[in-house]
Amino acid sequence: MKLWSGRFGKDTDALVNDFNASISFDQRLYREDIAGSIAHAVMLADCGVISREDAEAITRGLEEILADVEAGKIEFSADNEDIHMNIEALLTARIGDAGKRLHTARSRNDQVALDFRLYVREQIGVIRDQLLDLEETLCRQAERYQAAVMPGYTHLQRAQPISFAQHLLAYAQMLSRDITRLEDCRKRLNQCPLGSGALAGTTYPIDRWQTARALGFDAPMDNSLDGVSDRDYALEFLSGLSILMAHLSRFAEEIILWCSWEFKFIELDDAYATGSSIMPQKKNPDVAELVRGKTGRVYGDLMSLLTVMKGLPLAYNKDMQEDKEPVFDAIDTVEMAVPVFTAMLDTMTVLPENMRRAAGRGFINATDCADYLTKKGMPFRDAYTAVGRLVAVCSAQGKTLEELALEELKAVSDLFEADVYEALNLENCMALRNSWGGPAVAETTRQIAAIREFVSRQRT
Ligand code: ARG
């Protein structure tokens, strides 16, 4: 019999029963549901709404149910629709009338809003810790390759010299922002909807501050209608995860490029690559490709929830039961993707000789050549044109800039002297890019230290 069967003259149709039920997916909220119910019961007793004995029986009963769920002893049932009614029914079966008093001054609407907030809050912490591990791995790899010159690209065309460290650290910076974005979401999320009731608060003398504090919130939400109606925290969380996945997907794309024969800047560890069923020579970057691919599902999760919420009148509507699966899916996807991605980066072999070889072709020191002339007094725009002419000469002859003889250089500008070869040396070009945030070793050293400080601050 349904908890709410009072006004009904018939049993629920079996199809409706299955269609309506959310227990298959919301059972993962059991811990949050029990924590919320205990805080609620204790508050009800403190406010004199239920007796102390009832609150104690409820607390004990819920703690036993929690232990039994964790021990795998409990089978939830679709007949009880969702996690909230499953647990309430279990409790009442165990402790009788006290269990029936738990739902005083509460509704499933504020209950589910609470459980979901608690769950998202918890997972923000889990994901943050995973991202911090990834940042540490990036710092470790970057530290080893601060002097490794590689071509930096724009339009996927070789552009200017950078180091492999500089490239990895760019992603570390993005991840730091992903973390602080989730933190911002957590701050706004951390207000307690419990006590909003179905939508209009309650006539009982409850203490919303007490339950809010007991559950680690900064305050109760200020408007009961808002408390049960909005899922903006879940949308914000999914947006944060979508942006994170966008970053990982770009990184994954580069990993895929870098381990191709065309680049060969890195080689993945055998444990983090896969073979082909037909081509014996293949070693495929499936992990990176799946991270790139799974980005699509996380974006989809965000779009699903945005679409569910759009156009819903206040307050609760059953549509909102559809909030959970996209959020759970995004959490599961991110929490699987990040550690495997970290391990893949941690174990990859970096091939700095190949990066250096690639850097040698493509005129990535052309800007430095123009800067050389500019520093000798030529206006930059003229220097730019002069070097453009040199690049044309080189292209016709299959040479690099530094392979031109001094007379050939002088034919374009008599400002060129023998010291130009030093200015064109790629290691020098990179070392001299020591402006704030640049690839020079002193700058990547500073960045690594700053990122490590961020990581340790986050961990405390
Ligand atoms: N299972 C429901 C959900 O996930 C719980 C809230 C149900 N409230 C209601 N009035 N039907 O949204």
Side-chain angles (χ1 to χ4, degrees):
M1 205 176 66
K2 301 277 185 232
L3 281 176
W4 40 252
S5 63
R7 61 100 69 215
F8 288 82
K10 269 187 185 178
D11 284 346
T12 314
D13 178 87
L15 286 175
V16 173
N17 206 45
D18 289 344
F19 189 60
N20 208 34
S22 52
I23 187 63
S24 65
F25 52 86
D26 67 15
Q27 53 181 281
R28 74 159 90 183
L29 299 175
Y30 69 89
R31 236 183 265 118
E32 289 72 18
D33 198 73
I34 288 172
S37 289
I38 290 175
H40 182 64
V42 169
M43 179 277 291
L44 289 181
D46 288 351
C47 295
V49 178
I50 63 172
S51 70
R52 185 66 54 201
E53 299 72 58
D54 281 348
E56 275 160 16
I58 289 169
T59 302
R60 229 175 305 113
L62 288 172
E63 279 165 357
E64 281 166 24
I65 291 170
L66 177 63
D68 287 350
V69 176
E70 307 221 289
K73 290 193 198 148
I74 297 221
E75 278 242 15
F76 294 118
S77 151
D79 289 338
N80 287 320
E81 198 175 319
D82 56 24
I83 187 63
H84 325 294
M85 293 204 296
N86 265 274
I87 289 179
E88 192 183 327
L90 281 165
L91 181 69
T92 301
R94 290 181 181 200
I95 68 167
D97 278 356
K100 296 189 201 161
R101 297 207 167 91
L102 169 61
H103 212 54
T104 312
R106 186 176 75 169
S107 154
R108 268 187 302 155
N109 297 348
D110 57 345
Q111 196 177 350
V112 71
L114 169 70
D115 294 2
F116 203 33
R117 264 177 205 259
L118 287 173
Y119 188 78
V120 170
R121 187 176 77 182
E122 175 80 19
Q123 297 306 313
I124 286 175
V126 172
I127 292 168
R128 191 218 30 218
D129 288 348
Q130 291 184 336
L131 293 176
L132 292 173
D133 290 344
L134 174 50
E135 287 205 58
E136 275 174 349
T137 287
L138 289 175
C139 285
R140 211 163 33 242
Q141 287 284 24
E143 204 162 38
R144 294 187 194 129
Y145 301 104
Q146 289 184 270
V149 174
M150 74 176 260
Y153 297 81
T154 64
H155 313 269
L156 203 56
Q157 301 285 321
R158 293 175 193 170
Q160 289 179 342
I162 58 169
S163 67
F164 189 56
Q166 164 87 338
H167 203 116
L168 295 181
L169 293 170
Y171 283 111
Q173 298 286 348
M174 298 177 213
L175 293 169
S176 292
R177 289 194 296 277
D178 291 328
I179 289 170
T180 52
R181 220 183 318 277
L182 290 174
E183 238 170 43
D184 289 344
C185 167
R186 185 199 165 100
K187 275 181 213 148
R188 260 183 299 281
L189 167 158
N190 207 30
Q191 301 214 326
C192 187
L194 187 63
S196 296
L199 73 164
T202 177
T203 56
Y204 293 95
I206 61 169
D207 183 350
R208 289 196 59 201
W209 280 91
Q210 177 178 340
T211 42
R213 287 206 189 94
L215 294 164
F217 289 99
D218 299 325
M221 290 180 76
D222 262 338
N223 181 305
S224 64
L225 211 55
D226 178 41
V228 291
S229 296
D230 207 358
R231 295 291 183 267
D232 56 352
Y233 58 94
L235 290 170
E236 208 175 330
F237 176 61
L238 288 174
S239 313
L241 295 187
S242 293
I243 297 170
L244 161 66
M245 289 304 288
H247 290 150
L248 293 186
S249 182
R250 292 184 78 172
F251 201 169
E253 167 65 13
E254 298 204 290
I255 296 290
I256 295 159
L257 284 173
W258 290 342
C259 61
S260 70
W261 280 104
E262 283 67 18
F263 282 78
K264 264 292 169 254
F265 287 1
I266 59 165
E267 175 145 4
L268 296 180
D269 189 84
D270 281 0
Y272 294 93
T274 48
S276 153
S277 62
I278 173 170
M279 295 169 282
Q281 84 284 12
K282 289 286 283 236
K283 181 167 172 184
N284 293 328
D286 285 24
V287 168
E289 290 172 275
L290 272 175
V291 167
R292 190 177 59 183
K294 285 178 185 292
T295 300
R297 16 179 346 143
V298 176
Y299 291 4
D301 293 328
L302 170 62
M303 284 316 297
S304 296
L305 187 55
L306 280 169
T307 311
V308 166
M309 294 309 295
K310 140 185 200 306
L312 292 186
L314 304 187
Y316 179 85
N317 301 266
K318 187 77 170 188
D319 312 47
M320 287 156 73
Q321 183 164 285
E322 292 294 311
D323 59 359
K324 285 165 215 69
E325 284 165 294
V327 170
F328 294 162
D329 181 71
I331 288 169
D332 293 346
T333 303
V334 168
E335 290 184 5
M336 281 233 285
V338 176
V340 71
F341 197 75
T342 301
M344 177 189 70
L345 294 175
D346 204 40
T347 54
M348 72 183 171
T349 304
V350 180
L351 303 169
E353 328 73 54
N354 293 349
M355 295 176 182
R356 180 63 181 80
R357 200 170 313 120
R361 292 274 154 187
F363 307 106
I364 67 173
N365 50 4
T367 314
D368 303 87
C369 190
D371 288 341
Y372 171 89
L373 291 175
T374 307
K375 285 172 190 162
K376 299 238 166 179
M378 189 183 283
F380 177 76
R381 201 38 77 203
D382 295 339
Y384 171 93
T385 306
V387 176
R389 262 191 275 138
L390 287 173
V391 168
V393 171
C394 288
S395 298
Q397 302 181 17
K399 284 185 177 169
T400 65
L401 287 169
E402 55 274 35
E403 282 166 359
L404 292 175
L406 189 53
E407 308 81 72
E408 292 173 286
L409 294 169
K410 277 192 178 295
V412 169
S413 166
D414 54 15
L415 291 174
F416 281 117
E417 300 295 343
D419 61 351
V420 66
Y421 295 105
E422 213 164 289
L424 292 177
N425 170 280
L426 290 180
E427 280 67 27
N428 290 340
C429 293
M430 195 189 83
L432 290 172
R433 296 181 173 279
N434 58 4
S435 51
W436 186 274
V441 171
E443 275 303 301
T444 48
T445 301
R446 182 185 61 74
Q447 279 193 62
I448 291 169
I451 292 163
R452 286 194 168 138
E453 207 207 290
F454 169 81
V455 170
S456 72
R457 237 185 304 121
Q458 284 283 326
R459 291 228 193 259
T460 52

